[in-house]
Amino acid sequence: MKNKIWLITGISSGLGKALAESVIEKGDFVIGTFRKESQVEEFNKKHTNNAKAVVLDITKENGIKNCIDKIISDYGKIDVLVNNAGVGFVGAVEETSMEEVRSVFEPNFFGTLKMTQTVLPFMRKEKKGHIIQISSHGGVKAFAGFGIYNASKFALEGFSEAMAQEVAPLGIKVSIVEPGPFRTNFAGTGLGQAESVIDDYSETAGAFRIKLKGVNGKQEGDPIKASKAIINLTNSKDSTLRLPLGKVALMTIGMKLDSVKSDLEKNREIAESAVYD
């Protein structure tokens, strides 16, 4: 196929859905993943020539390999992989059980990592490709009540930053997209919550939980505009490693950079003294 083939995980709603629609409108071919067969059937009835939906749960390793192998067999390539599927989660670190932690890390980190590892051999063979990791401004700056989600996105950003250096000489690009609050279902029914609630955290994690639910449907971010920015990123010859999206993302990431720089300068003498003479 002459047009680009995009593999986008999690296109049932939010940014994933908007991106799939925008890519199709642009004229490229979308392979999108859903977790339910009924969603796949509905999507494929609407799109017979310009897209294809498949069932995939990215927390199942064998399912990932089988899915990618089938796509390569049917279409011969994957030009752009967008690791969009993931979950939100709110709760203080102490409130969160290990089972809940794993339920966040399985899709946000391990599933995304496995998707990336499985697609890379085909991109290496072609000496081209673009991997887009949908992170968050919360992948740069942490917030009280968001610690486990932050940790999953920090982990995603960590391996992606290193991988970008590893694959650049092979003709493969990596981009980390860092949206702020967007008008999706992230803060609604799509948001997981710690089952345990500890009163001592009511003014920190508890306040964040209330605030997050209060902004649902009122977020500043436009998923369609974000989608167009991502498409433009894939067509840019000098694309950056990171793409923040939204005014809030610019503000919060800027705050993090200022904080890190401040700590660096305050501790410069101590840091410089901790070496052999």
Side-chain angles (χ1 to χ4, degrees), residues 158-249:
F159 91 74
S160 299
E161 183 176 332
M163 182 181 69
Q165 300 166 47
E166 296 164 355
V167 302
L170 308 177
I172 302 168
K173 292 183 177 182
V174 177
S175 298
I176 304 169
V177 178
E178 298 163 338
F182 269 71
R183 208 164 294 181
T184 66
N185 197 37
F186 179 87
T189 57
L191 183 67
Q193 298 185 61
E195 187 174 337
S196 172
V197 176
I198 299 173
D199 289 341
D200 283 345
Y201 296 117
S202 62
E203 294 183 7
T204 52
F208 181 78
R209 188 190 318 237
I210 294 169
K211 179 181 178 181
L212 203 59
K213 287 190 166 294
V215 302
N216 187 40
K218 304 171 186 175
Q219 299 95 326
E220 68 167 14
D222 181 338
I224 295 296
K225 290 181 178 178
S227 299
K228 291 178 180 177
I230 293 169
I231 292 171
N232 289 338
L233 180 70
T234 65
N235 294 322
S236 173
K237 292 182 180 179
D238 58 347
S239 58
T240 55
L241 173 62
R242 290 180 172 84
L243 174 65
L245 291 175
K247 295 177 181 178
V248 171

Coordinates of all heavy atoms in Angstrom, one line a residue, residues 158-249:
G158 N 10.8 6.8 30.3 CA 12.1 6.4 30.5 C 12.6 5.5 29.4 O 13.7 5.7 28.8
F159 N 11.9 4.4 29.2 CA 12.4 3.5 28.1 C 12.3 4.1 26.7 O 13.1 3.8 25.9 CB 11.7 2.1 28.3 CG 10.4 1.9 27.4 CD1 10.4 1.7 26.1 CD2 9.2 1.9 28.1 CE1 9.3 1.5 25.3 CE2 8.0 1.6 27.3 CZ 8.1 1.5 26.0
S160 N 11.3 4.9 26.5 CA 11.1 5.5 25.2 C 12.2 6.5 24.9 O 12.7 6.6 23.7 CB 9.8 6.3 25.1 OG 8.7 5.4 25.3
E161 N 12.7 7.3 25.9 CA 13.8 8.2 25.7 C 15.1 7.4 25.3 O 15.8 7.8 24.4 CB 14.0 9.0 26.9 CG 15.1 10.1 26.8 CD 15.2 11.0 28.0 OE1 14.2 11.2 28.7 OE2 16.3 11.5 28.2
A162 N 15.3 6.3 26.0 CA 16.5 5.5 25.7 C 16.4 4.9 24.4 O 17.3 4.8 23.6 CB 16.7 4.5 26.8
M163 N 15.2 4.3 24.1 CA 15.0 3.6 22.8 C 15.1 4.6 21.6 O 15.6 4.2 20.6 CB 13.6 3.0 22.8 CG 13.2 2.2 21.6 SD 11.6 1.5 21.7 CE 10.6 3.0 21.6
A164 N 14.7 5.8 21.8 CA 14.8 6.8 20.7 C 16.3 6.9 20.3 O 16.6 7.0 19.1 CB 14.3 8.1 21.2
Q165 N 17.2 6.8 21.2 CA 18.6 6.9 20.9 C 19.1 5.6 20.2 O 20.0 5.6 19.4 CB 19.4 7.2 22.2 CG 19.1 8.5 22.9 CD 19.6 8.5 24.3 OE1 20.8 8.2 24.5 NE2 18.8 8.9 25.2
E166 N 18.5 4.5 20.7 CA 18.9 3.2 20.1 C 18.5 3.0 18.7 O 19.2 2.4 17.9 CB 18.3 2.1 21.0 CG 18.9 2.1 22.4 CD 18.0 1.2 23.4 OE1 17.0 0.7 22.9 OE2 18.4 1.1 24.5
V167 N 17.3 3.5 18.3 CA 16.8 3.2 17.0 C 17.0 4.3 16.0 O 16.8 4.1 14.8 CB 15.2 2.9 17.1 CG1 15.0 1.7 18.0 CG2 14.4 4.1 17.6
A168 N 17.4 5.5 16.4 CA 17.6 6.6 15.5 C 18.6 6.3 14.4 O 18.3 6.6 13.2 CB 18.1 7.9 16.3
P169 N 19.7 5.6 14.6 CA 20.6 5.2 13.5 C 20.0 4.2 12.6 O 20.6 4.0 11.5 CB 21.8 4.6 14.3 CG 21.7 5.1 15.7 CD 20.3 5.2 16.0
L170 N 18.9 3.6 13.0 CA 18.2 2.6 12.1 C 17.1 3.1 11.3 O 16.4 2.4 10.7 CB 17.7 1.4 13.1 CG 18.7 0.8 14.0 CD1 18.0 -0.2 14.9 CD2 19.9 0.2 13.3
G171 N 16.9 4.5 11.4 CA 15.9 5.1 10.6 C 14.5 5.2 11.2 O 13.6 5.5 10.5
I172 N 14.5 4.8 12.5 CA 13.2 4.8 13.2 C 13.1 6.0 14.1 O 14.0 6.3 14.9 CB 13.0 3.5 14.0 CG1 13.2 2.3 13.0 CG2 11.7 3.4 14.7 CD1 13.3 0.9 13.7
K173 N 11.9 6.6 14.1 CA 11.7 7.8 15.0 C 10.8 7.4 16.2 O 10.0 6.4 16.1 CB 10.9 8.9 14.2 CG 11.8 9.6 13.1 CD 10.9 10.7 12.5 CE 11.7 11.4 11.4 NZ 10.9 12.5 10.8
V174 N 11.0 8.0 17.3 CA 10.2 7.9 18.5 C 9.8 9.2 18.9 O 10.6 10.2 19.0 CB 11.0 7.2 19.6 CG1 10.2 7.0 20.9 CG2 11.5 5.8 19.2
S175 N 8.5 9.3 19.3 CA 7.9 10.6 19.8 C 7.1 10.3 21.0 O 6.3 9.3 21.0 CB 7.1 11.3 18.8 OG 7.8 11.7 17.6
I176 N 7.3 11.1 22.1 CA 6.5 11.0 23.3 C 5.5 12.2 23.3 O 5.9 13.3 23.4 CB 7.4 11.0 24.5 CG1 8.5 9.9 24.4 CG2 6.6 10.8 25.8 CD1 9.6 10.1 25.5
V177 N 4.2 11.9 23.3 CA 3.2 12.9 23.3 C 2.7 13.1 24.7 O 2.4 12.1 25.4 CB 2.0 12.5 22.4 CG1 0.9 13.6 22.4 CG2 2.5 12.3 20.9
E178 N 2.7 14.3 25.2 CA 2.4 14.6 26.6 C 1.2 15.6 26.7 O 1.3 16.8 26.9 CB 3.6 15.2 27.2 CG 4.8 14.3 27.3 CD 6.1 15.0 27.5 OE1 6.2 16.2 27.3 OE2 7.1 14.3 28.0
P179 N 0.0 15.0 26.6 CA -1.2 15.9 26.7 C -1.5 16.3 28.1 O -1.2 15.6 29.1 CB -2.4 15.0 26.2 CG -1.7 13.8 25.6 CD -0.4 13.6 26.3
G180 N -2.0 17.5 28.2 CA -2.6 17.9 29.5 C -4.0 17.4 29.6 O -4.3 16.4 28.9
P181 N -4.9 18.0 30.3 CA -6.3 17.6 30.4 C -7.0 17.8 29.1 O -7.1 18.9 28.5 CB -6.9 18.4 31.5 CG -6.0 19.6 31.6 CD -4.7 19.2 31.2
F182 N -7.6 16.7 28.5 CA -8.3 16.8 27.2 C -9.7 16.3 27.5 O -10.0 15.5 28.4 CB -7.6 16.0 26.2 CG -6.7 16.8 25.3 CD1 -5.5 17.2 25.9 CD2 -6.9 17.1 24.0 CE1 -4.6 17.9 25.2 CE2 -6.1 17.9 23.3 CZ -4.9 18.3 23.9
R183 N -10.6 16.8 26.6 CA -12.1 16.5 26.8 C -12.4 15.1 26.3 O -13.0 14.9 25.2 CB -12.9 17.6 26.1 CG -14.3 17.8 26.8 CD -14.9 19.1 26.3 NE -14.2 20.3 26.8 CZ -14.5 21.5 26.5 NH1 -15.6 21.8 25.9 NH2 -13.8 22.5 27.0
T184 N -11.9 14.1 27.1 CA -12.2 12.7 26.8 C -12.9 12.1 28.0 O -13.2 12.8 28.9 CB -10.9 12.0 26.5 OG1 -10.1 11.9 27.7 CG2 -10.1 12.7 25.4
N185 N -13.0 10.8 28.0 CA -13.6 10.1 29.1 C -12.6 9.8 30.2 O -12.9 9.0 31.1 CB -14.4 8.9 28.7 CG -15.4 8.4 29.7 OD1 -16.0 9.2 30.4 ND2 -15.5 7.1 29.8
F186 N -11.4 10.3 30.1 CA -10.3 9.9 31.0 C -10.7 10.2 32.5 O -10.4 9.3 33.4 CB -9.0 10.7 30.7 CG -7.9 10.4 31.6 CD1 -7.0 9.4 31.3 CD2 -7.6 11.2 32.7 CE1 -5.9 9.1 32.2 CE2 -6.6 10.9 33.6 CZ -5.7 9.8 33.3
A187 N -11.3 11.3 32.8 CA -11.6 11.7 34.1 C -13.0 11.2 34.5 O -13.5 11.5 35.6 CB -11.5 13.2 34.3
G188 N -13.7 10.5 33.6 CA -15.1 10.0 33.9 C -15.1 8.5 34.3 O -14.3 8.1 35.2
T189 N -15.8 7.8 33.5 CA -15.9 6.3 33.8 C -14.6 5.6 33.5 O -14.4 4.5 34.0 CB -17.1 5.7 33.0 OG1 -16.9 5.9 31.6 CG2 -18.4 6.3 33.4
G190 N -13.8 6.2 32.7 CA -12.5 5.6 32.4 C -11.4 5.7 33.5 O -10.3 5.2 33.4
L191 N -11.8 6.4 34.6 CA -10.8 6.6 35.7 C -10.9 5.6 36.8 O -12.0 5.5 37.4 CB -11.0 8.0 36.2 CG -10.0 8.5 37.3 CD1 -8.6 8.6 36.7 CD2 -10.5 9.8 37.9
G192 N -9.8 4.9 37.1 CA -9.8 4.0 38.2 C -9.5 4.7 39.5 O -8.9 5.8 39.5
Q193 N -10.0 4.1 40.6 CA -9.8 4.8 41.9 C -9.3 3.7 42.9 O -9.8 2.6 42.9 CB -11.1 5.4 42.4 CG -11.6 6.5 41.5 CD -12.8 7.2 42.2 OE1 -12.7 7.8 43.2 NE2 -13.9 7.2 41.5
A194 N -8.5 4.1 43.8 CA -8.1 3.3 44.9 C -9.3 2.9 45.7 O -10.1 3.8 46.1 CB -7.0 3.9 45.8
E195 N -9.4 1.6 46.1 CA -10.6 1.2 46.9 C -10.5 1.8 48.3 O -11.5 2.1 48.9 CB -10.7 -0.3 46.9 CG -11.9 -0.8 47.5 CD -12.0 -2.3 47.4 OE1 -11.4 -2.9 46.5 OE2 -12.7 -2.9 48.2
S196 N -9.3 1.8 48.8 CA -9.0 2.3 50.1 C -9.0 3.8 50.2 O -8.4 4.4 49.3 CB -7.7 1.7 50.7 OG -7.4 2.3 51.9
V197 N -9.6 4.4 51.1 CA -9.5 5.9 51.3 C -9.0 6.2 52.7 O -9.7 5.7 53.7 CB -10.9 6.5 51.1 CG1 -10.8 8.0 51.3 CG2 -11.3 6.3 49.6
I198 N -8.0 6.9 52.9 CA -7.4 7.3 54.2 C -7.6 8.7 54.4 O -7.2 9.6 53.7 CB -5.9 6.9 54.2 CG1 -5.6 5.4 54.0 CG2 -5.3 7.4 55.5 CD1 -4.2 5.0 53.8
D199 N -8.3 9.0 55.5 CA -8.7 10.4 55.8 C -7.5 11.4 55.9 O -7.7 12.6 55.5 CB -9.5 10.5 57.1 CG -10.9 9.8 57.0 OD1 -11.4 9.7 55.9 OD2 -11.5 9.5 58.1
D200 N -6.4 10.9 56.3 CA -5.2 11.8 56.5 C -4.8 12.4 55.1 O -4.1 13.4 55.1 CB -4.0 11.1 57.1 CG -4.2 10.9 58.6 OD1 -5.0 11.6 59.2 OD2 -3.4 10.1 59.1
Y201 N -5.2 11.8 54.0 CA -4.9 12.3 52.7 C -6.0 13.1 52.0 O -6.0 13.4 50.8 CB -4.5 11.2 51.8 CG -3.3 10.4 52.2 CD1 -3.3 9.1 52.6 CD2 -2.0 11.1 52.3 CE1 -2.2 8.4 53.0 CE2 -0.9 10.4 52.8 CZ -1.0 9.1 53.1 OH 0.1 8.4 53.5
S202 N -7.0 13.5 52.8 CA -8.2 14.2 52.2 C -7.8 15.5 51.6 O -8.5 15.9 50.6 CB -9.3 14.4 53.3 OG -8.8 15.2 54.4
E203 N -6.8 16.2 52.2 CA -6.5 17.5 51.6 C -5.5 17.5 50.5 O -5.1 18.5 49.9 CB -5.9 18.4 52.8 CG -7.0 18.7 53.8 CD -6.4 19.7 54.9 OE1 -5.3 20.2 54.7 OE2 -7.1 19.9 55.9
T204 N -4.9 16.3 50.2 CA -3.9 16.1 49.1 C -4.5 15.2 48.0 O -5.1 15.7 47.1 CB -2.6 15.6 49.6 OG1 -2.9 14.4 50.4 CG2 -1.9 16.6 50.5
A205 N -4.4 13.9 48.2 CA -4.9 13.0 47.2 C -6.4 13.1 47.1 O -7.0 13.0 46.0 CB -4.5 11.6 47.5
G206 N -7.1 13.3 48.2 CA -8.6 13.4 48.2 C -9.0 14.6 47.5 O -10.0 14.5 46.7
A207 N -8.4 15.7 47.7 CA -8.7 16.9 47.0 C -8.5 16.8 45.5 O -9.3 17.3 44.7 CB -7.9 18.1 47.5
F208 N -7.4 16.1 45.1 CA -7.1 15.9 43.7 C -8.2 15.0 43.0 O -8.6 15.3 41.9 CB -5.7 15.3 43.5 CG -5.3 15.0 42.1 CD1 -4.9 16.1 41.3 CD2 -5.4 13.8 41.5 CE1 -4.5 15.9 40.0 CE2 -5.1 13.5 40.2 CZ -4.6 14.6 39.4
R209 N -8.6 14.0 43.8 CA -9.7 13.1 43.2 C -10.9 13.9 42.9 O -11.6 13.8 41.9 CB -10.0 12.0 44.3 CG -10.9 10.9 43.8 CD -11.3 10.0 44.9 NE -10.3 9.7 45.9 CZ -9.9 8.5 46.1 NH1 -10.5 7.4 45.6 NH2 -8.9 8.2 47.0
I210 N -11.3 14.8 43.9 CA -12.5 15.6 43.7 C -12.4 16.6 42.5 O -13.3 16.7 41.7 CB -12.9 16.3 45.0 CG1 -13.3 15.4 46.1 CG2 -14.0 17.4 44.7 CD1 -13.4 16.0 47.5
K211 N -11.2 17.2 42.5 CA -10.9 18.2 41.4 C -11.0 17.5 40.0 O -11.5 18.0 39.1 CB -9.5 18.8 41.6 CG -9.2 19.8 40.5 CD -7.8 20.4 40.8 CE -7.4 21.3 39.7 NZ -6.0 21.9 39.9
L212 N -10.4 16.3 39.9 CA -10.3 15.6 38.6 C -11.7 15.3 38.1 O -12.0 15.5 37.0 CB -9.5 14.3 38.8 CG -8.9 13.7 37.5 CD1 -7.9 14.7 36.9 CD2 -8.1 12.5 37.9
K213 N -12.6 14.8 39.0 CA -13.9 14.5 38.6 C -14.7 15.7 38.3 O -15.6 15.7 37.4 CB -14.6 13.7 39.7 CG -14.1 12.3 39.8 CD -15.0 11.4 40.8 CE -14.7 10.0 40.6 NZ -15.1 9.4 39.3
G214 N -14.4 16.8 39.0 CA -15.1 18.1 38.7 C -14.9 18.7 37.4 O -15.7 19.5 36.9
V215 N -13.7 18.4 36.8 CA -13.4 19.0 35.5 C -13.8 18.1 34.3 O -13.6 18.5 33.1 CB -11.9 19.3 35.3 CG1 -11.4 20.2 36.4 CG2 -11.0 18.0 35.4
N216 N -14.3 16.9 34.6 CA -14.7 16.0 33.5 C -15.7 16.7 32.6 O -16.8 17.2 33.0 CB -15.3 14.7 34.1 CG -15.6 13.7 33.0 OD1 -14.8 13.5 32.1 ND2 -16.7 13.0 33.1
G217 N -15.4 16.7 31.3 CA -16.2 17.3 30.3 C -16.0 18.8 30.1 O -16.6 19.5 29.2
K218 N -15.1 19.4 30.9 CA -14.8 20.8 30.9 C -13.3 21.1 30.5 O -12.8 22.2 30.6 CB -15.1 21.5 32.2 CG -16.6 21.3 32.6 CD -16.7 21.8 34.0 CE -18.1 21.5 34.6 NZ -18.3 21.9 36.0
Q219 N -12.5 20.0 30.2 CA -11.1 20.1 30.0 C -10.8 21.0 28.8 O -11.7 21.1 27.9 CB -10.5 18.8 29.8 CG -10.6 17.8 31.0 CD -11.8 16.9 30.9 OE1 -12.8 17.2 30.3 NE2 -11.6 15.7 31.3
E220 N -9.7 21.7 28.8 CA -9.4 22.6 27.7 C -9.0 21.9 26.4 O -9.2 22.5 25.3 CB -8.2 23.5 28.1 CG -6.9 22.7 28.2 CD -5.7 23.6 28.3 OE1 -5.8 24.8 28.6 OE2 -4.5 23.1 28.2
G221 N -8.5 20.7 26.4 CA -8.0 20.1 25.3 C -9.0 19.6 24.3 O -10.0 19.0 24.6
D222 N -8.7 19.8 23.0 CA -9.6 19.4 21.9 C -8.9 18.2 21.2 O -7.9 18.3 20.6 CB -9.7 20.5 20.9 CG -10.6 20.2 19.7 OD1 -10.8 19.0 19.4 OD2 -11.1 21.1 19.0
P223 N -9.5 17.0 21.3 CA -8.9 15.7 20.8 C -8.6 15.8 19.3 O -7.7 15.2 18.8 CB -9.9 14.6 21.1 CG -10.6 15.2 22.3 CD -10.7 16.6 22.1
I224 N -9.5 16.5 18.5 CA -9.3 16.6 17.1 C -8.1 17.4 16.8 O -7.3 17.1 15.9 CB -10.6 17.2 16.4 CG1 -11.8 16.3 16.6 CG2 -10.3 17.4 14.9 CD1 -11.6 14.9 15.9
K225 N -7.9 18.6 17.5 CA -6.8 19.4 17.2 C -5.5 18.7 17.6 O -4.4 18.8 17.0 CB -6.9 20.7 18.0 CG -8.0 21.6 17.4 CD -8.0 23.0 18.2 CE -9.1 23.9 17.6 NZ -9.2 25.2 18.3
A226 N -5.6 17.9 18.7 CA -4.4 17.1 19.2 C -4.1 16.1 18.1 O -2.9 15.8 17.8 CB -4.7 16.4 20.5
S227 N -5.1 15.5 17.5 CA -4.9 14.4 16.5 C -4.1 15.0 15.3 O -3.2 14.4 14.7 CB -6.2 13.8 16.0 OG -6.8 13.2 17.1
K228 N -4.5 16.2 14.9 CA -3.9 16.8 13.7 C -2.4 17.2 14.1 O -1.6 17.1 13.2 CB -4.7 18.1 13.3 CG -6.0 17.7 12.7 CD -6.9 19.0 12.4 CE -8.2 18.6 11.7 NZ -9.1 19.7 11.4
A229 N -2.2 17.6 15.3 CA -0.8 17.9 15.7 C 0.0 16.6 15.7 O 1.2 16.6 15.3 CB -0.8 18.4 17.1
I230 N -0.5 15.5 16.0 CA 0.2 14.2 16.0 C 0.5 13.8 14.5 O 1.6 13.3 14.2 CB -0.6 13.1 16.7 CG1 -0.6 13.4 18.2 CG2 0.0 11.7 16.5 CD1 -1.6 12.6 19.0
I231 N -0.5 14.0 13.7 CA -0.3 13.6 12.3 C 0.8 14.5 11.7 O 1.7 14.0 10.9 CB -1.6 13.8 11.5 CG1 -2.6 12.7 11.9 CG2 -1.4 13.7 10.0 CD1 -4.0 12.9 11.4
N232 N 0.8 15.8 12.0 CA 1.8 16.7 11.5 C 3.2 16.3 12.0 O 4.2 16.4 11.3 CB 1.5 18.1 11.9 CG 0.3 18.7 11.2 OD1 0.0 18.3 10.1 ND2 -0.3 19.7 11.8
L233 N 3.2 15.8 13.2 CA 4.5 15.3 13.8 C 5.1 14.2 13.0 O 6.3 14.2 12.8 CB 4.2 14.8 15.3 CG 5.4 14.3 16.1 CD1 6.3 15.4 16.4 CD2 4.9 13.6 17.3
T234 N 4.3 13.3 12.5 CA 4.8 12.2 11.7 C 5.3 12.6 10.4 O 6.1 11.9 9.8 CB 3.7 11.1 11.5 OG1 2.6 11.6 10.7 CG2 3.1 10.6 12.9
N235 N 4.8 13.8 9.9 CA 5.3 14.3 8.6 C 6.4 15.3 8.7 O 6.9 15.8 7.7 CB 4.1 14.9 7.9 CG 3.0 13.9 7.5 OD1 3.3 12.8 7.1 ND2 1.7 14.3 7.7
S236 N 6.8 15.6 9.9 CA 7.9 16.6 10.1 C 9.2 15.9 10.0 O 9.5 14.8 10.5 CB 7.7 17.2 11.5 OG 8.8 18.1 11.8
K237 N 10.1 16.6 9.3 CA 11.5 16.1 9.1 C 12.4 16.4 10.3 O 13.4 15.7 10.5 CB 12.1 16.8 7.9 CG 11.5 16.4 6.5 CD 12.2 17.0 5.3 CE 11.5 16.6 4.0 NZ 12.2 17.2 2.9
D238 N 12.0 17.3 11.1 CA 12.7 17.6 12.4 C 11.9 17.5 13.6 O 11.8 18.4 14.5 CB 13.3 19.0 12.3 CG 12.3 20.1 12.1 OD1 11.1 19.8 11.8 OD2 12.6 21.3 12.2
S239 N 11.1 16.4 13.7 CA 10.2 16.1 14.8 C 11.0 16.0 16.1 O 12.1 15.5 16.1 CB 9.4 14.9 14.6 OG 10.3 13.7 14.4
T240 N 10.5 16.5 17.2 CA 11.1 16.5 18.5 C 10.8 15.2 19.2 O 9.8 14.5 18.9 CB 10.7 17.7 19.3 OG1 9.2 17.7 19.4 CG2 11.1 19.0 18.7
L241 N 11.6 14.9 20.2 CA 11.3 13.7 21.0 C 10.0 13.8 21.8 O 9.2 12.9 21.8 CB 12.4 13.4 22.0 CG 12.2 12.3 23.0 CD1 12.1 10.9 22.3 CD2 13.4 12.2 24.0
R242 N 9.8 15.0 22.3 CA 8.5 15.2 23.1 C 7.6 16.3 22.4 O 8.1 17.2 21.9 CB 8.9 15.7 24.5 CG 9.5 14.7 25.4 CD 9.9 15.2 26.8 NE 10.3 14.1 27.6 CZ 11.6 13.7 27.7 NH1 12.5 14.2 26.9 NH2 11.9 12.7 28.4
L243 N 6.3 16.0 22.6 CA 5.3 16.9 22.1 C 4.3 17.2 23.2 O 3.4 16.4 23.4 CB 4.6 16.4 20.8 CG 3.4 17.2 20.3 CD1 3.9 18.6 19.8 CD2 2.7 16.4 19.2
P244 N 4.4 18.3 23.9 CA 3.4 18.6 24.9 C 2.2 19.2 24.1 O 2.3 19.8 23.1 CB 4.1 19.7 25.7 CG 5.1 20.3 24.8 CD 5.5 19.2 23.9
L245 N 1.0 18.9 24.7 CA -0.2 19.4 24.0 C -1.1 20.0 25.1 O -1.5 19.4 26.1 CB -1.0 18.2 23.4 CG -0.3 17.6 22.1 CD1 -1.1 16.4 21.6 CD2 -0.2 18.6 21.0
G246 N -1.5 21.3 24.8 CA -2.4 22.0 25.7 C -1.6 23.0 26.6 O -0.4 22.9 26.9
K247 N -2.3 24.1 27.0 CA -1.7 25.2 27.8 C -1.4 24.7 29.2 O -0.3 25.1 29.7 CB -2.7 26.3 27.9 CG -2.9 27.0 26.5 CD -3.9 28.2 26.7 CE -4.2 28.8 25.3 NZ -5.2 29.9 25.4
V248 N -2.2 23.8 29.7 CA -1.9 23.2 31.0 C -0.6 22.4 31.0 O 0.2 22.5 31.9 CB -3.1 22.4 31.6 CG1 -2.7 21.6 32.8 CG2 -4.3 23.3 31.8
A249 N -0.4 21.6 30.0 CA 0.8 20.8 29.8 C 2.0 21.7 29.8 O 3.0 21.4 30.4 CB 0.7 19.9 28.6

